[in-house]
Amino acid sequence: MNAKYLDLLAQKYDCEEKVVTEIINLEAILNLPKGTEHFVSDLHGEYQAFQHVLRNGSGNVKGKIEDLYKKILTEKEIREFATLVYYPEEKIQLMKNDFDNERELHQWYTVIIERMINLISYASSKYTRSKLRKALPSQFVYIIEELLYKTDEYTNKEPYYTKIVQQIISLGQADKLIIGLAYTTQQLVVDHLHVVGDIYDRGPEPDKIMDTLINYHSVDIQWGNHDVLWLGAFAGSKVCLANIIRICARYDNLDIIEDVYGINLRPLLNLAEKYYDDNPAFRPKRHSDEKVTEEEQLQITKIHQAIAMIQFKLESPIIKRRPDFKMAERLLLEKIDYEKNEITLQGIRYQLENSCFATVNPEQPDQLLEEEEQVMDKLLFSVQHSEKLARHMNFLMKKGSLYLKYNGNLLIHGCMPLDEEGNMEKMVIENKTYAGRDLLDTFEHYLRYAFAHPEETDDLATDMVWYLWTGEYSSLFGKREMTTFERYFIKDKKTHKERKNPYYHLREKEEICRKILEEFDLNPDQGHIINGHTPVKEIDGENPVKANGKMIVIDGGFSKAYQSTTGIAGYTLLYNSFGMQLVAHKQFNSKEDVLINGTDVLSVKRLVDKELERKKVQETNVGEEILQELSILNSLMEYRYVK
C-alpha cells in the first residue's frame, strides 16, 4: 500500500494501541446481526401516509413492543404505547388532558420512562454502544445511559436511579425525554431505508418527503421516472419542465410549483388566458378533501392546455435530432389534418375531440410562439434559481442511482428492458450498441452529465433524460410508447393503450430473474430483484412475490390515485438478519385517527424468504467496507508498528 497514504493514516492512529483497538472493534462488529432494511416505493407525494409508515417501521415498532409487553399489557395499552412512540408530541398532550391532577401525571411519566428505556434496550440489542449513543437525544445521553446500563444486584444504587427519574419529572424535562426516546426507537428499529423510486408527482407534498429524507439517518434512492423528470427540469430540459407543470396541473398540485418552490406561474397563466378556454379533457382531477372554485378550476384548465401544447411542440425537435431514439411515429402534431380536425395513426384516421390548437402553425406545428418561448425561458430561470428545489434535487442526485446492488439484492424502480425471448434489449447510441447493465450505466452517465452541465440544454445528455421518461428502451418507463396525446384528444380507448416491455410478464419466470441477477454479478441463489413502478392489483388476486420469490414488487398504491385499482394502500418490505417480510398496508386516513383510536394501517405480513442462518454484518455491503478498512489497518500495523 502507498507509504504516503499510510503515513497520513498514522496521524489519526498515532500509536499501536489505537490501531489495535480499532481492529478489535471492527472485527467484533462484523459478527453482529445485520441491521433491518426498510424498502418503500412509489410514494408520489403522499407525505402523511409515508410519515406514518416511517414512524412505525412498517410494524417493526409495535412488534418490538409486543415482544416485550404482550404478557404484561392489554391490547389497548400496547396500541396506546405504540402510538406514543409514533407521535410522541401529540400523544403526550392528549394524555395530559386525561389526568385530573399532577400526581397521576407524574405516575404516568414514571411508568412510561421505564417502558421507553426497556424498549430502547431491546431495540438496540444488536448495535454497539457507540452506535446507540449517536442515536440518543444529545441533551440526555448521560441520563439515558445511566438508566440503560443500570446494575443494582446489591440494591446499592436503587435510590440513585429513582432520584434521576424524579428529577427529570420535577424539572419539567419528562416530555422532552420521552419525545427523544420515541425518535431514538424509530431510528433503531430501521437501520437503513431504501426508497425504490417515484417520490414526486400526483400527491400534494413531495417536498415534505424530501425534507424528511434529507434528515433521515441512513437512506438511498433508486430514481423513478417521475423523479428523473424533476431532475431533468432542474438540469435544463424544457420538455421535462413542461411535463412536470402539466402533471401538477392535471392533479391540481400547481401550488407545489408556485408556493413550495417559488416558481412564478403568472406568465404562463397570462399566455393561457389569451389562447385557451374551458376544456373538459383538461380539467384538474379533484382532491376529495379540497374545494376549488369555478374560477380556480378554469385557470388550471387553461394552464393545463397551454403547457400541454408547449410540451408536444418541444418533443418534436428532440425526436428529429435523435434518430437513435426511434420515436418518429410520435411526431403527432405533423400527423394532424387541422382543417378536418383528424389525425392518422398507423393508417387509421381518428376524429380529434377537445382540441386546443390555437397556438399551432399547421405549416410548422412544432414551432413555438415567441410568447411561448419567453414563458419557458422565464420558467426555466425560476426553476434553476429556486433554493429549495436546488437543495432537494442535489440530495436526490447525491443519494440516488438508476439501480443499486445492496446486500445481494438488485433494487430497480422500473425494469430491465427485454425482448420477447428474454434477451437484453439493445439500443444504439452514437454508433455504439448497449444492452443490459451497460445500457443502464450509460443512461446514468448521461443523466449525471446533464445535471452537472445545466447550461447545455440541447445536448445528447439533456435529451437522454427526457428519453428516460418516455423512451421505449428506458429502464424507468418500460413501455413502447407514452400515449398522453391520445388520452387527451382521441375517444377510442384502444389508442390509449401503452404496450409494456416483455419484462413485465417475463419477470414471473424464475429463470429470467436469475439471468438478470447474474447480469449484475449477483448470486441468483440468494439474491432478489426489488421493483416498484407498476401497481400490484391485489384486489384482482395479483401476487407481489413472483418467480418463486426472486422478484418482489412493492408498488401497492401509496398514491391515492391507484388505491381503487390495487385494493390496498401500498406495500413495504422489511429485511432483517432472519429474512424478508412483505407488509401490505390499509389506507391511511389521518394522524388524528391513529392518535385517538390507536388504529394502524398494517394488514398482512408475508414471509418472503427466511435465512437458514442468521445473517451477520460481515455478509453485507457495510461488512465489505469494514473488511476494506481492516485490510488498511493491518497494513498500517505492519508498516509502522510490527518489528
Side-chain angles (χ1 to χ4, degrees):
M1 184 164 289
N2 188 292
K4 289 185 178 179
Y5 175 76
L6 293 176
D7 286 335
L8 284 171
L9 191 62
Q11 294 177 19
K12 179 179 180 181
Y13 299 101
D14 55 4
C15 66
E16 184 178 0
E17 290 76 14
K18 287 184 179 180
V19 182
V20 169
T21 298
E22 187 64 7
I23 289 174
I24 293 170
N25 177 46
L26 294 177
E27 288 282 5
I29 288 173
L30 289 173
N31 290 278
L32 288 170
K34 77 173 284 296
T36 298
E37 297 170 62
H38 191 189
F39 301 76
V40 300
S41 85
D42 296 271
L43 304 174
H44 285 300
E46 298 293 347
Y47 168 71
Q48 297 299 332
F50 168 66
Q51 266 284 90
H52 187 67
V53 167
L54 209 59
R55 287 169 181 261
N56 71 16
S58 285
N60 229 7
V61 169
K62 192 173 182 182
K64 300 287 186 189
I65 294 171
E66 288 176 336
D67 288 347
L68 283 175
Y69 293 115
K70 63 184 174 183
K71 294 182 180 179
I72 301 171
L73 303 179
T74 66
E75 179 55 36
K76 181 182 178 183
E77 288 172 328
I78 286 175
R79 285 201 309 269
E80 290 215 333
F81 186 37
T83 304
L84 177 65
V85 178
Y86 305 158
Y87 301 104
E89 296 95 337
E90 296 90 340
K91 189 64 178 177
I92 287 172
Q93 195 56 50
L94 283 174
M95 294 304 297
K96 283 181 174 181
N97 296 336
D98 287 345
F99 294 116
D100 296 326
N101 55 64
E102 196 173 83
R103 181 173 164 274
E104 289 181 358
L105 176 61
H106 285 193
Q107 287 176 339
W108 180 79
Y109 278 144
T110 302
V111 170
I112 291 300
I113 289 171
E114 183 179 2
R115 287 179 188 168
M116 282 285 196
I117 292 294
N118 290 339
L119 182 59
I120 292 280
S121 179
Y122 181 51
S124 65
S125 58
K126 62 182 177 183
Y127 299 130
T128 63
R129 286 193 180 187
S130 173
K131 184 164 184 171
L132 171 59
R133 188 178 301 118
K134 292 173 184 175
L136 295 174
S138 57
Q139 70 272 40
F140 296 117
V141 168
Y142 165 74
I143 291 169
I144 295 170
E145 287 188 333
E146 284 294 298
L147 296 174
L148 272 173
Y149 308 125
K150 65 180 180 181
T151 54
D152 198 22
E153 56 185 305
Y154 304 113
T155 69
N156 291 326
K157 296 172 73 175
E158 185 176 346
Y160 168 74
Y161 296 126
T162 302
K163 195 65 176 178
I164 288 176
V165 175
Q166 288 177 348
Q167 284 298 106
I168 290 168
I169 296 169
S170 64
L171 292 171
Q173 299 302 302
D175 289 5
K176 293 179 183 177
L177 177 64
I178 292 169
I179 291 166
L181 291 172
Y183 286 120
T184 296
T185 301
Q186 293 177 24
Q187 180 171 335
L188 292 173
V189 299
V190 171
D191 190 49
H192 187 78
L193 176 68
H194 304 285
V195 182
V196 192
D198 276 352
I199 295 165
Y200 279 88
D201 291 333
R202 296 198 180 97
E205 297 176 312
D207 57 299
K208 291 184 179 179
I209 294 176
M210 288 301 299
D211 285 336
T212 300
L213 295 177
I214 287 171
N215 293 310
Y216 201 74
H217 58 277
S218 184
V219 64
D220 59 60
I221 300 166
Q222 291 72 61
W223 300 312
N225 49 323
H226 289 269
D227 305 323
V228 162
L229 204 55
W230 282 75
L231 287 169
F234 191 76
S237 170
K238 290 180 179 178
V239 70
C240 288
L241 174 55
N243 267 283
I244 66 173
I245 296 174
R246 178 185 61 79
I247 293 169
C248 284
R250 179 174 175 78
Y251 288 91
D252 191 18
N253 286 325
L254 286 173
D255 57 330
I256 296 170
I257 301 288
E258 194 155 31
D259 298 338
V260 173
Y261 288 126
I263 296 159
N264 183 12
L265 293 178
R266 174 57 63 177
L268 178 60
L269 176 60
N270 291 339
L271 175 77
E273 294 275 15
K274 181 176 179 180
Y275 289 103
Y276 299 97
D277 295 311
D278 192 15
N279 188 330
F282 290 85
R283 289 174 190 154
K285 292 180 180 290
R286 292 283 189 92
H287 299 304
S288 58
D289 55 344
E290 288 186 14
K291 292 183 179 180
V292 180
T293 67
E294 290 298 320
E295 182 183 359
E296 289 171 331
Q297 178 175 275
L298 183 57
Q299 285 184 341
I300 296 168
T301 301
K302 291 177 179 180
I303 287 174
H304 193 174
Q305 293 171 86
I307 201 65
M309 293 313 302
I310 290 173
Q311 175 193 314
F312 296 139
K313 290 181 181 183
L314 289 170
E315 289 172 351
S316 294
I318 301 175
I319 294 170
K320 290 175 181 177
R321 68 176 173 253
R322 304 297 174 200
D324 287 346
F325 290 1
K326 296 182 179 179
M327 294 178 68
E329 77 281 357
R330 300 307 298 168
L331 293 168
L332 300 181
L333 295 181
E334 298 182 4
K335 300 178 186 294
I336 297 172
D337 183 328
Y338 289 93
E339 289 185 1
K340 295 181 179 180
N341 204 34
E342 293 177 341
I343 189 169
T344 302
L345 299 177
Q346 297 180 343
I348 303 174
R349 296 180 74 82
Y350 296 95
Q351 188 67 37
L352 296 174
E353 299 188 349
N354 305 307
S355 55
C356 49
F357 304 138
T359 66
V360 177
N361 175 4
E363 302 300 319
Q364 289 182 280
D366 62 357
Q367 184 181 51
L368 289 174
L369 299 180
E370 185 178 348
E371 297 159 89
E372 291 174 318
E373 288 186 359
Q374 290 172 353
V375 165
M376 291 309 297
D377 287 342
K378 290 175 182 177
L379 286 171
L380 183 60
F381 181 86
S382 293
V383 162
Q384 294 186 323
H385 289 80
S386 166
E387 184 276 331
K388 187 170 187 176
L389 185 59
R391 185 168 72 253
H392 289 173
M393 293 301 102
N394 283 321
F395 179 81
L396 194 57
M397 205 68 187
K398 178 182 177 182
K399 292 291 185 177
S401 57
L402 273 183
Y403 67 87
L404 180 67
K405 299 194 308 177
Y406 199 91
N407 292 346
N409 300 310
L410 176 63
L411 285 60
I412 182 168
H413 173 74
C415 72
M416 169 56 70
L418 303 174
D419 64 19
E420 285 292 351
E421 284 70 48
N423 301 309
M424 308 292 171
E425 284 275 27
K426 297 176 181 177
M427 181 176 177
V428 177
I429 304 172
E430 293 194 316
N431 300 316
K432 187 173 181 181
T433 302
Y434 300 90
R437 183 179 177 180
D438 285 344
L439 179 59
L440 270 62
D441 288 340
T442 302
F443 285 151
E444 182 161 337
H445 163 75
Y446 281 119
L447 175 54
R448 292 192 181 280
Y449 183 90
F451 193 85
H453 298 85
E455 72 284 356
E456 300 178 29
T457 57
D458 294 328
D459 62 320
L460 175 58
T462 307
D463 291 347
M464 192 66 76
V465 182
W466 173 73
Y467 182 86
L468 279 170
W469 163 249
T470 193
E472 178 178 358
Y473 299 129
S474 164
S475 60
L476 296 180
F477 181 47
K479 297 177 184 177
R480 297 304 185 197
E481 62 278 303
M482 186 176 287
T483 59
T484 305
F485 182 95
E486 291 90 331
R487 290 167 188 262
Y488 283 130
F489 300 120
I490 302 177
K491 187 176 182 179
D492 189 343
K493 290 192 175 181
K494 284 184 285 188
T495 66
H496 302 179
K497 186 175 178 59
E498 297 176 339
R499 297 169 294 163
K500 290 183 180 179
N501 184 275
Y503 171 90
Y504 288 104
H505 67 260
L506 292 174
R507 69 181 179 179
E508 302 277 352
K509 299 180 179 181
E510 182 177 352
E511 63 268 26
I512 294 296
C513 293
R514 294 175 72 90
K515 182 179 180 179
I516 293 171
L517 288 166
E518 289 173 345
E519 173 72 11
F520 287 86
D521 299 322
L522 293 168
N523 185 336
D525 294 327
Q526 298 180 0
H528 308 78
I529 302 171
I530 298 164
N531 259 178
H533 190 51
T534 51
V536 176
K537 297 179 180 178
E538 181 162 296
I539 197 171
D540 295 332
E542 184 180 356
N543 191 343
V545 182
K546 306 174 186 295
N548 198 23
K550 290 295 162 191
M551 169 70 64
I552 307 165
V553 184
I554 60 171
D555 180 6
F558 257 103
S559 174
K560 291 179 181 178
Y562 288 136
Q563 288 172 7
S564 61
T565 58
T566 62
I568 58 171
Y571 290 109
T572 54
L573 185 70
L574 295 170
Y575 179 26
N576 61 21
S577 57
F578 294 108
M580 283 184 169
Q581 278 190 320
L582 187 71
V583 186
H585 297 266
K586 299 174 185 176
Q587 185 173 358
F588 180 77
N589 293 318
S590 68
K591 180 168 65 175
E592 289 69 30
D593 186 35
V594 178
L595 287 165
I596 295 169
N597 301 314
T599 54
D600 219 331
V601 296
L602 305 176
S603 54
V604 181
K605 283 189 177 183
R606 311 181 200 181
L607 185 66
V608 177
D609 200 3
K610 186 175 182 179
E611 298 290 344
L612 296 176
E613 292 185 16
R614 196 173 185 189
K615 193 175 281 288
K616 296 179 180 178
V617 170
Q618 63 189 3
E619 303 168 77
T620 67
N621 284 40
V622 171
E624 290 178 11
E625 294 173 6
I626 290 175
L627 287 170
Q628 291 173 6
E629 290 180 45
L630 281 167
S631 176
I632 294 169
L633 289 169
N634 282 315
S635 296
L636 179 61
M637 274 289 289
E638 293 178 12
Y639 175 67
R640 291 295 293 263
Y641 303 115
V642 177
K643 297 179 181 179

